[in-house]
Amino acid sequence: MAWRSVGASNEDLIRQLKEYGVIASDAVAKAMIDTDRKHYSPRNPYMDAPQPIGGGVTISAPHMHAFALEYLRDHLKPGAHVLDVGSGSGYLTACFYRYIKSMGESADTCIVGIEHQSALVQMSKTNLNADDRSMLDSETLKIVQGDGRKGYPENAPYNAIHVGAAAPDTPTELLNQLANGGRLIVPVGPEGGSQYMQQYDKDKNGKVEMKRLMGVMYVPLTDLRS
């Protein structure tokens, strides 16, 4: 199974995920190959399992990042606004940046990672700069501190929203910030209980349809005081 794989290098890990069928598209594979996990995961960067990054937080397993990119890729286009809630290490935020950039340049592209722990905000910026300083320097990508449960209205509406921690129920405020034609993927369910990765699609008229994708296990989506 994919989540038992260990790569000798970042490229080897991504090759295995592609062989297992977790990664279906060459563009997702390239974004993940170009974003070396060694910059974002201090422990076991090429093991397909969650790893601690500090502050009681983990970086998700590579196969979950691959799933996120695959489920959102049709919405990751030049000019898109993307919100990564609970951006943690900054890894997936960087993948979103690279995926969209590979599709073309647009001054309207905006990728926002939001994280409530100030230490993680600073750490993710350090990680991104160690990877490629031009990502933050471009101002196309930014990391902000805040309560991700409330989204980030400043750059809404978003064509794609990813949430990296479990919401107890449907995250209404994030749906409010989802653009017509946009997609939100978020783990939903109680801590320690049954959780599912759910996909919310908003059509051109603003009607929302939910699809349950898979069972998952995530830490809860909280603020700094919870």
Side-chain angles (χ1 to χ4, degrees), residues 68-218:
L69 286 159
E70 288 289 351
Y71 285 125
L72 291 172
R73 66 186 169 97
D74 290 343
H75 303 268
L76 302 175
K77 299 175 181 177
H81 283 209
V82 180
L83 180 64
D84 187 15
V85 176
S87 51
S89 70
Y91 171 80
L92 188 59
T93 324
C95 287
F96 288 145
Y97 172 89
R98 285 196 167 104
Y99 184 94
I100 293 175
K101 188 175 182 183
S102 74
M103 297 294 145
E105 301 279 353
S106 171
D108 294 327
T109 302
C110 178
I111 301 150
V112 181
I114 185 166
E115 177 57 57
H116 69 266
Q117 293 192 43
S118 60
L120 287 178
V121 170
Q122 292 306 313
M123 182 190 73
S124 63
K125 290 180 179 179
T126 299
N127 294 344
L128 288 159
N129 283 333
D131 181 353
D132 183 349
R133 184 172 292 275
S134 70
M135 288 191 284
L136 288 174
D137 286 349
S138 72
E139 298 184 352
T140 297
L141 183 157
K142 63 181 178 181
I143 305 293
V144 299
Q145 183 177 357
D147 185 348
R149 297 173 301 181
K150 299 176 182 177
Y152 192 67
E154 182 176 322
N155 295 112
Y158 297 96
N159 305 95
I161 301 177
H162 166 266
V163 183
D169 45 37
T170 299
T172 305
E173 189 51 47
L174 295 180
L175 285 174
N176 290 341
Q177 293 179 34
L178 188 66
N180 288 357
R183 174 172 290 177
L184 159 68
I185 60 169
V186 53
V188 177
E191 182 179 9
S194 295
Q195 297 177 355
Y196 296 91
M197 186 65 75
Q198 296 185 176
Q199 173 180 297
Y200 295 85
D201 288 316
K202 184 182 285 190
D203 70 16
K204 63 181 181 180
N205 298 314
K207 181 182 177 182
V208 175
E209 182 176 322
M210 188 275 282
K211 179 180 179 182
R212 185 173 282 182
L213 300 176
M214 69 184 87
V216 293
M217 185 182 298
Y218 276 78

Side-chain angles (χ1 to χ4, degrees), residues 29-71:
K30 186 178 189 308
M32 294 183 72
I33 287 170
D34 291 347
T35 309
D36 197 321
R37 290 178 71 88
K38 71 180 182 182
H39 299 299
Y40 302 90
S41 178
R43 301 182 188 177
N44 305 313
Y46 309 131
M47 180 181 291
D48 195 13
Q51 300 296 328
I53 58 171
V57 174
T58 60
I59 180 174
S60 294
H63 71 272
M64 292 308 301
H65 287 145
F67 280 133
L69 286 159
E70 288 289 351
Y71 285 125

